[in-house]
Amino acid sequence: AQSVTQPDIHITVSEGASLELRCNYSYGATPYLFWYVQSPGQGLQLLLKYFSGDTLVQGIKGFEAEFKRSQSSFNLRKPSVHWSDAAEYFCAVGANAGNMLTFGGGTRLMVKP
Amino acid sequence: DGGITQSPKYLFRKEGQNVTLSCEQNLNHDAMYWYRQDPGQGLRLIYYSQIVNDFQKGDIAEGYSVSREKKESFPLTVTSAQKNPTAFYLCASSPPSLGNIQYFGAGTRLSVL
């Protein structure tokens, strides 16, 4: 069975600083990997996805993520954080068969002015 | 505008009462999903449906029921058997191709009176 771990429950960064959110997955084959963002009381919005090919993927809002097979990781990065990036971030892994996703527990990002 | 509509945004349940959460999509997606979100636990799958008139239990189906009579609609009933229903409920849908991308509604917050 697949699983996803987001080791950091909370992260606080200063506005303008760089950001890296960690995601580790467990899956037997090449996974489909996703990052979603959730603002308080809202649904989830897709930031970016990895299916195959180039291991560095670009997403919306200036985010990027890198797939590292050897480390079973898919970390999310942003070079300069804006106050509006404060939200909860979820990493998810999908199986090749069907459209099922397994989500990590989430990382809550706070941005200091 | 195409999207996923969840209603109501807030819902209160009395002891012993069944309540139904609505999820409607006009994206022409085949697959639909219901997730429960509790603080610090990420998203857990309750039920999913890949096609009309068919649905499958997810990881935490006990105390919940669903129907899928129309492609656009996937209502979730929280029954009196669900002893801890207070949570944020998210509905999602997924197109037949494009891998495992799921698109989410804005959620319904259910509380117990």
Side-chain angles (χ1 to χ4, degrees), chain B residues 1-39:
Chain B
D1 285 340
I4 301 171
T5 302
Q6 291 188 240
S7 62
K9 190 166 179 65
Y10 300 96
L11 186 59
F12 297 91
R13 195 190 89 167
K14 296 179 181 178
E15 192 75 29
Q17 184 181 41
N18 294 352
V19 293
T20 297
L21 285 62
S22 170
C23 179
E24 302 278 333
Q25 55 100 356
N26 59 5
L27 301 169
N28 199 33
H29 288 173
D30 289 314
M32 297 186 73
Y33 312 82
W34 274 107
Y35 293 92
R36 170 177 171 142
Q37 186 177 22
D38 296 281

Side-chain angles (χ1 to χ4, degrees), chain A residues 3 12 47 68 103:
Chain A
S3 66
T12 300
L47 282 175
K68 293 186 177 181
F103 287 86

Side-chain angles (χ1 to χ4, degrees), chain B residues 39-56:
Chain B
Q41 295 194 42
L43 279 70
R44 293 183 290 167
L45 183 65
I46 305 172
Y47 268 98
Y48 65 98
S49 168
Q50 301 282 16
I51 56 172
V52 175
N53 293 321
D54 186 58
F55 49 83
Q56 307 295 329

Side-chain angles (χ1 to χ4, degrees), chain A residues 91-111:
Chain A
C91 182
V93 60
N96 289 331
N99 287 342
M100 309 308 299
L101 290 180
T102 299
F103 287 86
T107 297
R108 182 167 298 278
L109 173 66
M110 290 172 280
V111 180

